[in-house]
Amino acid sequence: MQRHYKSLYIVYIALVLTLTFISPVNASPIIPERVKVGLNYNSASSEMVISCNSPAVVNSLNGEDRSALLNVSKPSKLSFRTDGYYNIIDREIKKIQYIKAVKYQGDIIGPYHIQIGEAFADYDTAEKLLKNIKTKLPNSFLAYDGVWSVWTGLFLDEKQCVDQINIYKDENNSYTYKPVEPDQRRIQIADVNNNDVMLIYKTQQVEIKSSESMKNTNPLEINGVKYRGNILLKTQDDGSIFAINDVAFDEYLYSVVGSEANPAWPIEALKAQAVAARNYAVINLGKHNKDGYDLCSTTHCQAYKGYSKEHESTNRAVAQTKNKLVFYGDEVATTFYHSSSGGHTESSENIWSEEIPYLRGVDDSFSIGSPNDSWTHALDRKAMQQKLVENNMDIGDIIDVNIIETSEFGRAKKVEITGSKSAVILEKEKIRTIFGTSNIKSIWYEIKTDSDVNIYDTNSNSIRVKRPQGLHIISASGQATIEPSSKKISIKGLFDVQQYNIMPQTYILNGKGWGHGVGMSQYGAKGMADSGYSFIEILEHYYTGTKVK
């Protein structure tokens, strides 16, 4: 009997161990059906102009609940703008800081209004009242701030409201009238063609949904850029407006891949870009949750420029790689990518801080010969000093700039800038941040100057490049050391005498590649695709030890 119990225990323990150690293999993360993309990251605006090229509806959003605020029955161009002061000249409208004593050209409209009659819980009753009032006051419109009411006028101050109320009472005393004070969280919806106000609302977020935008035959257009899906407008506490594109995830990738890759490139390179973009989006989902959206439209997340950036080839690349991701073991890889590496990519810790096992420097000879494979940029000494001061690094007059540490692949990890007051060491990408990522295209460079002197080293029997300051020289007056100075020095060579600045006035960076150099090189991917490699082979080359699945 005891043996029987023991055997049961053994079976039970084996079953527990089996259940404990069996885990889902290659479990894919949830790829969302839709994504919310912030369109004006760090730049909220007082006005958004939205073109509806087909009938549309403006909905108030409260969590998952939505209720219609305005039905647009025909193609229209609508201005969503803060309920404030505006100057209108020749139908052009501009937000202003209104000053009563100033004489303005054109017309001025303001944020004071008059409410006519009572407020209503439902739209239909307010709309019925509006129709009656519009026969006498054609500039009346609906207003919504949790309840519906009829307002009229865009007055400059309360006195104008009161004066107008007295006129209305004399003409028609069957309604009640009361002034409406300004509120910067209110938004006007106006017809751009005539600046007539169609609705004023006060709700944190609205949705503009075209009846055809989901079919993508007539995408909505915001500030001149077309987008698939719906547009959400979020009102900030200061009255500024933030735009969000609510779009299908694959359609988001259509634009990202179209923005990041040349549509004329081989399809395998485009497919590699599509998978890398999908990975990067999945990893970064929720990066802007606190702002009410998932990803932004800038390179802070990924470049997203709307419908106009889509191309048949890049859309096909997204479709043909649907749901494909790059994995390192069971982990979704963060697939950084860049334009071109200059011939060899870099390991992550040499650019940022974390050592990531699949972001190792690899050979990238396929990118050699691409645009910006080599580049030159000159930095003026005084301009550099000014940039350092702007970044709270006042080291005085710049005396010299030197690379003091490089990565195993040759990129500058530490650059020392010596000044008359102190010195500063710029690590890794910091020099690009300060002096411009379009100017200093990568951190793989060498530094030359207008002071460089070729000196023959008798010990090594070779020519070495030195700068005059700090050199020991023999002159007619004897031996001396050249001190830092803004003066020039004459140096006699074998055949002539040349003058050199003692302190460099210009630092010339001769560099390779464009971008941080980590992960996939886009031009390298193109080169591999041209040579017959598949998108899977491309991705698994640039992301060491990964698998595409």
Side-chain angles (χ1 to χ4, degrees):
M1 192 70 173
Q2 195 165 352
R3 283 184 190 172
H4 178 63
Y5 285 137
K6 282 184 179 178
S7 63
L8 284 177
Y9 293 155
I10 292 168
V11 170
Y12 177 73
I13 291 169
L15 181 59
V16 169
L17 289 172
T18 302
L19 292 174
T20 302
F21 289 103
I22 291 178
S23 59
V25 178
N26 301 332
S28 296
I30 296 173
I31 296 177
E33 289 186 14
R34 301 186 71 79
V35 64
K36 291 180 179 177
V37 187
L39 300 181
N40 49 333
Y41 171 59
N42 277 346
S43 60
S45 172
S46 61
E47 182 186 26
M48 296 285 173
V49 175
I50 295 182
S51 295
C52 309
N53 299 309
S54 61
V57 62
V58 180
N59 294 317
S60 171
L61 295 184
N62 184 12
E64 295 299 317
D65 297 330
R66 54 174 45 83
S67 56
L69 294 179
L70 180 68
N71 286 298
V72 183
S73 58
K74 59 183 180 180
S76 303
K77 184 177 279 190
L78 306 177
S79 169
F80 289 74
R81 63 196 186 209
T82 306
D83 189 22
Y85 290 101
Y86 294 88
N87 186 195
I88 304 173
I89 303 174
D90 296 330
R91 296 175 65 180
E92 292 291 322
I93 186 165
K94 182 180 179 182
K95 195 171 191 294
I96 60 170
Q97 291 289 335
Y98 174 67
I99 301 172
K100 190 172 183 178
V102 173
K103 255 193 169 181
Y104 294 91
Q105 289 185 330
D107 297 322
I108 305 295
I109 59 176
Y112 288 83
H113 317 288
I114 295 172
Q115 179 178 322
I116 304 173
E118 301 301 317
F120 304 98
D122 64 294
Y123 170 87
D124 292 337
T125 307
E127 172 68 12
K128 185 177 178 181
L129 175 61
L130 178 65
K131 285 180 179 178
N132 291 334
I133 290 173
K134 262 188 173 293
T135 58
K136 296 179 180 178
L137 299 175
N139 292 328
S140 301
F141 46 84
L142 288 180
Y144 177 80
D145 60 356
V147 292
W148 290 94
S149 52
V150 176
W151 291 359
T152 192
L154 302 167
F155 301 106
L156 303 181
D157 53 39
E158 187 173 8
K159 184 179 182 303
Q160 279 192 355
C161 284
V162 172
D163 291 345
Q164 195 62 51
I165 285 172
N166 290 331
I167 294 172
Y168 290 160
K169 284 180 178 178
D170 290 340
E171 293 175 351
N172 188 342
N173 61 4
S174 58
Y175 297 112
T176 59
Y177 305 94
K178 66 178 182 180
V180 178
E181 296 285 330
D183 187 333
Q184 65 180 6
R185 292 169 295 174
R186 287 198 302 253
I187 303 296
Q188 299 176 8
I189 304 178
D191 187 330
V192 169
N193 293 322
N194 54 26
N195 277 316
D196 286 349
V197 174
M198 304 168 72
L199 173 74
I200 290 182
Y201 68 84
K202 181 184 172 182
T203 185
Q204 190 176 21
Q205 189 163 270
V206 297
E207 169 192 65
I208 301 94
K209 188 172 184 178
S210 169
S211 61
E212 296 185 9
S213 66
M214 301 306 287
K215 302 172 188 175
N216 303 305
T217 54
N218 280 304
L220 292 166
E221 186 175 317
I222 179 166
N223 291 349
V225 181
K226 291 182 178 180
Y227 294 96
R228 293 178 183 256
N230 307 322
I231 299 295
L232 311 179
L233 297 182
K234 187 176 180 181
T235 308
Q236 313 288 357
D237 289 339
D238 64 357
S240 58
I241 305 169
F242 198 91
I244 298 167
N245 185 198
D246 174 24
V247 64
F249 185 69
D250 279 354
E251 292 172 353
Y252 161 76
L253 291 177
Y254 289 167
S255 177
V256 169
V257 180
S259 299
E260 290 283 2
N262 186 329
W265 282 5
I267 188 64
E268 293 303 307
L270 299 181
K271 285 159 73 173
Q273 182 65 58
V275 176
R278 183 179 293 113
N279 261 69
Y280 201 78
V282 167
I283 285 288
N284 285 282
L285 278 174
K287 195 172 185 178
H288 294 279
N289 269 348
K290 64 181 179 61
D291 300 311
Y293 54 94
D294 302 304
L295 301 163
C296 72
S297 61
T298 74
T299 52
H300 180 254
C301 293
Q302 291 187 102
Y304 172 71
K305 300 177 182 178
Y307 183 74
S308 64
K309 283 295 180 180
E310 293 185 18
H311 302 274
E312 185 278 330
S313 58
T314 50
N315 287 10
R316 179 157 44 94
V318 173
Q320 290 182 0
T321 60
K322 188 173 180 65
N323 294 335
K324 292 287 187 186
L325 291 168
V326 180
F327 286 85
Y328 183 74
D330 290 332
E331 173 190 351
V332 180
T334 302
T335 48
F336 292 103
Y337 52 88
H338 58 279
S339 178
S340 63
S341 72
H344 204 287
T345 70
E346 189 56 82
S347 298
S348 59
E349 68 274 15
N350 293 330
I351 300 297
W352 303 303
S353 56
E354 186 179 357
E355 182 178 334
I356 299 173
Y358 51 85
L359 295 178
R360 304 290 85 204
V362 298
D363 175 72
D364 187 32
S365 54
F366 285 103
S367 74
I368 292 176
S370 63
N372 300 299
D373 184 45
S374 62
W375 52 268
T376 297
H377 180 69
L379 290 170
D380 175 75
R381 183 172 69 91
K382 290 184 178 179
M384 288 179 69
Q385 183 179 338
Q386 181 59 37
K387 280 289 186 184
L388 290 174
V389 170
E390 290 172 7
N391 285 270
N392 300 314
M393 301 177 189
D394 184 1
I395 62 172
D397 293 334
I398 292 176
I399 295 172
D400 210 354
V401 180
N402 290 285
I403 297 170
I404 60 173
E405 184 181 342
T406 61
S407 74
E408 60 185 295
F409 307 117
R411 286 176 175 83
K413 289 177 67 176
K414 291 182 181 180
V415 176
E416 183 176 48
I417 304 178
T418 306
S420 57
K421 294 180 183 177
S422 60
V424 64
I425 294 175
L426 303 181
E427 296 193 22
K428 303 173 183 178
E429 290 276 294
K430 187 67 175 178
I431 192 168
R432 298 185 69 212
T433 303
I434 293 173
F435 299 113
T437 55
S438 295
N439 298 325
I440 303 177
K441 292 179 167 58
S442 74
I443 60 168
W444 194 354
Y445 53 79
E446 61 178 8
I447 301 174
K448 302 289 187 182
T449 79
D450 58 357
S451 294
D452 290 352
V453 180
N454 293 323
I455 296 175
Y456 178 69
D457 186 338
T458 55
N459 293 324
S460 61
N461 194 29
S462 62
I463 301 294
R464 300 180 64 184
V465 177
K466 293 283 187 179
R467 292 165 198 166
Q469 55 184 322
L471 289 180
H472 301 289
I473 60 170
I474 299 174
S475 66
S477 57
Q479 184 173 328
T481 300
I482 303 174
E483 299 296 332
S485 167
S486 59
K487 296 179 181 179
K488 292 181 180 290
I489 187 172
S490 297
I491 298 179
K492 183 178 180 181
L494 292 175
F495 306 107
D496 59 5
V497 176
Q498 292 189 21
Q499 285 194 326
Y500 294 87
N501 293 317
I502 293 178
M503 287 197 314
Q505 301 302 303
T506 304
Y507 293 88
I508 302 152
L509 277 62
N510 297 315
K512 300 179 182 181
W514 195 345
H516 48 63
V518 177
M520 185 178 72
S521 157
Q522 291 168 311
Y523 273 96
K526 175 190 180 296
M528 291 185 71
D530 283 335
S531 298
Y533 289 89
S534 71
F535 79 96
I536 292 177
E537 291 172 314
I538 293 169
L539 291 164
E540 292 180 357
H541 169 70
Y542 285 109
Y543 304 108
T544 307
T546 63
K547 292 293 180 185
V548 178
K549 48 195 175 184

